[in-house]
Amino acid sequence: MTGSTGVLGALAAHLLGAGGLVLPHLNYSTILPELILLGGMLVILAASALSPRPLPTEVYATATVGLGIASLIASLVLWRDVTSHGAFTAIARSIDVDGFAVFFLVVVSCILIVAPMFAAGYLRREGITGCEYYVLALISGSGAMFMASANDLILIFLGLEILSIPLYVLAGLDHRREASGEAAMKYFVLGAFSSAIFVYGIALTYGATGSTNLAEIGAFLSRNVITSNGVLLGGLALLLVGFAFKVAAVPFHMWTPDVYQGAPTPATGFMAAMAKAGGFAALLRVFVSTFPTLRTSWQPVVWVLAILTLVLGAVVAIVQNDVKRMLAYSSINHAGFVLLGLEAATARGIAGSLYYVFVYSLLVLGSFAVVAAVGGNGDADHDISRYRGLGRRRPVLAVGFAILLLAQAGAPFTTGFFSKFYVVEAAVAAHSYALAVIAMGSAGVAAFFYLRVVFVMFSDVGIAGASDVSRGGGEIARAGAVAAEVREQDATLLGGAGASAVATLVAPAYVAAPELAPEGTPSEPEVSVSPWVTTGLVLCVGATLVFGIWPQPLVDFAHQATLIF
Amino acid sequence: MGGATVVAAATVPDALTFAIAAVICVGGAFGVVLMRSPVHAALSLVATLFGIAVLFVEEDAQFLAAVQVIVYTGAIVVLFLFVIMLLGVDRKERVLADVFKGQRVVALVLGLMVLAEVVLLGRSRWTTGAHSATGSLEGSGSNVAKLGRALFTAYLVPFEVTSALLIVAVVGAVVLARRPDHRPVEPIEEVEVPLVPGPDDDPFGAVGTDEDAGGSTAPDETASTVPEHASSEPEHEPAEVPST
């Protein structure tokens, strides 16, 4: 033992003496949240491999929640360090410990606390055994954390891959449904393609600036005025494409609806929350803190991206009858709102974006958990008609879902309202008036399809009047559908939440009616919710309401995070 | 990028090496696209990758050249060949067939656009930053030593984090490749029958005749001709397994 250390010591001394190799100080505490997730993941993997009998999925879920809490505590300790000592870089300047990074560490930890609860109920119901979901989720979370705290493009790329590859696998977790495998394949091929584009962007940026370190790139660009910066702009554009794919911004959103629909529902929720958190963390950092000198170049591009994303996400979501697909398009719409903050590129805008990502990740997790519960065995049916009368059959679940949807629509007294308010306010403050108006219009349009689901859940008109409809033929229903369409157009034109609300109040009951008519008796799909899912939903809805009524702590957190850059 | 400096200081052997390697590269690339046999296409890819390795040597990046040969020509192309062999070597690629309608035109337009972009970028002065702090090739010391130094100093975290990527790869491959426990692996003969159909009988025609004949015919005949029947049948039994 002593001999070997002696040899090693001699070797190290020789190397240090000969080449002057100064190994960087490995400050493990700065990457403690990541290490907790990765280490815990290895333990879970080993436990599942070594245990004689397959462990129940709840054991893994408990472990994952525990790891999430542990990484949350580690993140909060880092937050205390940062607030008391200021931001610093660690381990050869490749890790950034600042408010921005810690904010995302907290977001990822929260996702990892809530997501396993939803997964446990689903996996139990579907009879999917094994620890794979949890292991993949933990690795994915560590990737998002690395993306958030990376100070080096290479590390961002590695984080991106560690984030994405588990998501590809999670999309294909359900062997029994063909759509799941198809989603995995599609996501993998397109994702690999976008990663390649991203690496090319890194290569061009490196060629133009001589470094992959974000701080060094920023310093180089602030020292030098580059006259012919075609290569740098090319690299920047390719980086933006890579990120835009990850966060599903239009026109790089093509994969989103199919993948979200095909993936097992809890995996969809996790994917939506985690990919957006990691993607936006790196996107905001790279563009705002590293390339502020090129802002006039990238701002118009982000402007166009934001508008396309806002408009397409909202408009296409309206015509979806599949709730899962509708939420997929709505997630595109949300990405547009986060891009508002980036376009503004002010401290206020970034704070708004951070707040938005945090709020959205909890909302989307909860929403997809309800979708998983209502969808029934094997993700069989996510049609909106399945939600009819949910308010009567499962009032608490329906109210919870309604709150989550209303928050996504931006209703007051929920976190969703403030998240939309802050990014739009930042856009106005940055004089992007057109963008702000389009964003508000898109919020109005989006309110329509959220409220439509809410109304379907609480309308028993279809069921009470089922016999009437079947007796009186389809005319009423058809007239109702026409009226609904007319009102839908009105709502789109006005773009006001009020108008959409009126339309929603009238429309869906009749739209739903024709499907009922032939059957005579309404179908009552069984909805079972496990205690795990209930706990998770209580957390999500609770956070939505508590921080909606008392927003100051979370807002302050996001604001401080941008100050300690 | 280094091209400018190489040309400036080019000796005749340098220029000659570059020309030969470039011809090998481009020729190999054309071979990949135009060869009829997939195996030949893969071997053309070897030529391209080898040419690039020669260019790396020319640029004083010996380590990269070695890695290029070992990893790309040695491992990745061999992997391609494995896949090609598994899928059937004898299948000839119809190079001129349009798989998607209009694909050729779109590919041509996009290719020309990329070419134009490359030319434009090449013509404008390439503003590059200060020579890389971590991997500069100037000065004394070998290539490998410099790379190792960079890996264990500036890029220590990325280097370590790569291990997580390897774990993902293993877990992901296991999850995706493993069949669910309750679904039996299909017997080999059921897979082989549709792959190599008889020269004159149509498998789908055979379904029709079987069904016309009614349920009196032997059930294993339908099972052997129609894979869907065979694979869907055992699915009913295992559905009960997880619920118990």
Side-chain angles (χ1 to χ4, degrees):
Chain A
M1 205 62 184
T2 48
S4 69
T5 47
V7 170
L8 278 180
L11 191 66
H14 170 75
L15 279 174
L16 293 174
L21 180 70
V22 183
L23 291 171
H25 174 58
L26 268 173
N27 192 351
Y28 286 114
S29 68
T30 55
I31 51 169
L32 193 58
E34 288 96 329
L35 292 180
I36 288 174
L37 297 187
L38 287 175
M41 175 273 293
L42 286 176
V43 171
I44 290 179
L45 208 55
S48 92
L50 294 178
S51 75
R53 275 176 296 119
L55 295 171
T57 192
E58 284 82 3
V59 172
Y60 301 125
T62 315
T64 312
V65 171
L67 289 169
I69 293 172
S71 77
L72 179 64
I73 293 170
S75 310
L76 292 177
V77 170
L78 275 181
W79 175 253
R80 203 198 53 196
D81 284 1
V82 168
T83 44
S84 55
H85 306 306
F88 59 98
T89 57
I91 320 183
R93 301 181 68 203
S94 43
I95 294 286
D96 243 331
V97 188
D98 52 17
F100 182 88
V102 176
F103 183 89
F104 277 103
L105 296 186
V106 170
V107 173
V108 171
S109 303
C110 289
I111 295 174
L112 282 173
I113 291 171
V114 179
M117 299 183 185
F118 297 140
Y122 177 87
L123 297 177
R124 160 71 57 189
R125 191 185 75 194
E126 302 294 317
I128 299 175
T129 54
C131 62
E132 287 87 1
Y133 177 94
Y134 307 100
V135 165
L136 291 169
L138 285 169
I139 305 180
S140 185
S142 76
M145 285 183 170
F146 275 120
M147 281 182 91
S149 51
N151 193 25
D152 195 297
L153 284 173
I154 299 283
L155 189 54
I156 289 183
F157 170 66
L158 281 171
L160 188 75
E161 289 297 288
I162 297 171
L163 165 79
S164 310
I165 294 175
L167 294 183
Y168 308 150
V169 182
L170 279 177
L173 201 63
D174 192 348
H175 288 274
R176 290 161 307 170
R177 282 189 311 123
E178 221 166 84
S180 180
E182 192 190 317
M185 196 63 199
K186 194 172 266 181
Y187 198 12
F188 171 68
V189 171
L190 291 175
F193 197 62
S194 83
S195 295
I197 291 176
F198 187 78
V199 176
Y200 200 16
I202 294 179
L204 290 185
T205 311
Y206 175 71
T209 60
S211 178
T212 57
N213 189 292
L214 293 181
E216 278 172 31
I217 294 173
F220 175 82
L221 290 177
S222 60
R223 275 199 317 271
N224 303 281
V225 177
I226 301 180
T227 45
S228 61
N229 55 359
V231 177
L232 184 57
L233 289 182
L236 210 56
L238 295 180
L239 290 180
L240 188 60
V241 170
F243 284 129
F245 176 89
K246 245 343 110 191
V247 301
V250 181
F252 308 104
H253 68 289
M254 299 299 182
W255 57 278
T256 315
D258 291 341
V259 172
Y260 277 30
Q261 198 177 14
T265 313
T268 310
F270 181 79
M271 188 187 291
M274 198 55 97
K276 286 237 190 328
F280 274 117
L283 173 61
L284 292 170
R285 185 191 288 285
V286 168
F287 278 81
V288 176
S289 83
T290 309
F291 296 112
T293 45
L294 295 171
R295 194 160 76 198
T296 47
S297 303
W298 56 257
Q299 216 163 14
V301 183
V302 175
W303 191 82
V304 173
L305 272 185
I307 286 186
L308 287 177
T309 311
L310 284 168
V311 171
L312 189 131
V315 170
V316 183
I318 285 185
V319 295
Q320 305 300 325
N321 272 326
D322 185 302
V323 174
K324 213 170 160 186
R325 207 172 172 84
M326 184 273 276
L327 282 175
Y329 279 107
S330 101
S331 88
I332 296 175
N333 180 248
H334 286 297
F337 277 99
V338 185
L339 284 175
L340 279 185
L342 173 62
E343 201 275 338
T346 53
R348 205 187 251 182
I350 301 307
S353 291
L354 293 187
Y355 182 77
Y356 203 109
V357 170
F358 200 159
V359 165
Y360 171 73
S361 53
L362 290 181
L363 289 179
V364 76
L365 275 171
S367 302
F368 275 111
V370 179
V371 171
V374 177
N377 271 340
D379 273 332
D381 185 10
H382 294 294
D383 195 84
I384 193 163
S385 63
R386 235 183 133 83
Y387 291 77
R388 193 185 310 123
L390 193 71
R392 184 172 43 76
R393 282 176 286 141
R394 303 293 306 238
V396 180
L397 184 70
V399 167
F401 194 32
I403 291 172
L404 293 173
L405 288 175
L406 289 173
Q408 290 200 51
F413 304 114
T414 60
T415 47
F417 172 75
F418 291 103
S419 58
K420 285 199 169 42
F421 175 75
Y422 286 128
V423 285
V424 172
E425 189 208 15
V428 171
H431 304 291
S432 311
Y433 299 116
L435 200 54
V437 169
I438 289 172
M440 283 192 283
S442 121
V445 175
F448 171 78
F449 53 77
Y450 295 122
L451 289 174
R452 179 171 166 225
V453 178
V454 173
F455 189 77
V456 166
M457 283 194 299
F458 289 102
S459 78
D460 269 342
V461 181
I463 288 163
S467 53
D468 295 340
V469 174
S470 53
R471 223 182 322 110
E475 286 109 281
I476 306 170
R478 239 168 273 130
V482 171
E485 268 171 34
V486 171
R487 271 155 219 277
E488 203 172 304
Q489 284 163 3
D490 284 349
T492 320
L493 286 174
L494 289 172
S500 347
V502 173
T504 331
L505 287 176
V506 187
Y510 292 107
V511 175
E515 294 148 25
L516 264 184
E519 294 172 18
T521 51
S523 59
E524 297 268 290
E526 195 65 35
V527 176
S528 65
V529 179
S530 80
W532 284 86
V533 177
T534 314
T535 319
L537 276 178
V538 166
L539 283 178
C540 285
V541 174
T544 304
L545 286 180
V546 168
F547 290 119
I549 294 164
W550 185 45
Q552 215 50 47
L554 209 52
V555 172
D556 283 348
F557 186 28
H559 188 61
Q560 279 190 324
T562 47
L563 289 184
I564 318 165
F565 226 134
Chain B
M1 52 212 107
T5 52
V6 167
V7 171
T11 57
V12 178
D14 277 341
L16 213 60
T17 320
F18 172 78
I20 292 170
V23 168
I24 294 175
C25 280
V26 177
F30 272 111
V32 173
V33 182
L34 295 177
M35 285 288 179
R36 285 174 64 84
S37 155
V39 177
H40 293 170
L43 291 177
S44 309
L45 189 60
V46 172
T48 300
L49 297 172
F50 185 77
I52 292 171
V54 173
L55 288 177
F56 275 138
V57 174
E58 183 62 35
E59 295 271 341
D60 261 353
Q62 293 87 356
F63 181 76
L64 269 185
V67 169
Q68 173 84 14
V69 170
I70 294 167
V71 174
Y72 281 90
T73 17
I76 291 184
V77 174
V78 170
L79 212 67
F80 284 170
L81 284 174
F82 268 140
V83 174
I84 292 168
M85 298 286 178
L86 284 175
L87 291 179
V89 206
D90 307 329
R91 287 213 329 235
K92 287 274 185 285
E93 194 86 12
R94 267 178 297 166
V95 179
L96 293 176
D98 234 358
V99 182
F100 303 111
K101 206 159 182 275
Q103 170 205 34
R104 203 166 293 275
V105 181
V106 175
L108 197 70
V109 171
L110 285 178
L112 285 177
M113 273 170 66
V114 170
L115 199 67
E117 277 169 27
V118 169
V119 169
L120 278 178
L121 277 177
R123 282 170 61 87
S124 69
R125 224 159 41 79
W126 281 59
T127 310
T128 54
H131 282 292
S132 163
T134 44
S136 172
L137 284 173
E138 273 105 58
S140 63
S142 76
N143 235 297
V144 185
K146 281 172 181 163
L147 207 67
R149 192 178 297 266
L151 267 188
F152 284 99
T153 54
Y155 294 105
L156 183 63
V157 180
F159 177 71
E160 300 273 357
V161 164
T162 314
S163 60
L165 213 50
L166 294 178
I167 297 174
V168 182
V170 173
V171 175
V174 169
V175 170
L176 288 183
R178 197 189 59 184
R179 306 218 131 255
D181 307 331
H182 51 272
R183 180 183 289 183
V185 178
E186 289 165 25
I188 289 167
E189 62 265 21
E190 286 176 5
V191 181
E192 269 187 8
V193 169
L195 271 183
V196 193
D200 46 7
D201 63 350
D202 176 21
F204 295 101
V207 180
T209 52
D210 277 347
E211 279 172 1
D212 289 341
S216 58
T217 46
D220 46 352
E221 200 184 324
T222 22
S224 63
T225 42
V226 193
E228 289 94 11
H229 286 228
S231 60
S232 67
E233 257 178 318
E235 253 179 3
H236 296 297
E237 309 162 46
E240 295 157 23
V241 175
S243 62
T244 51

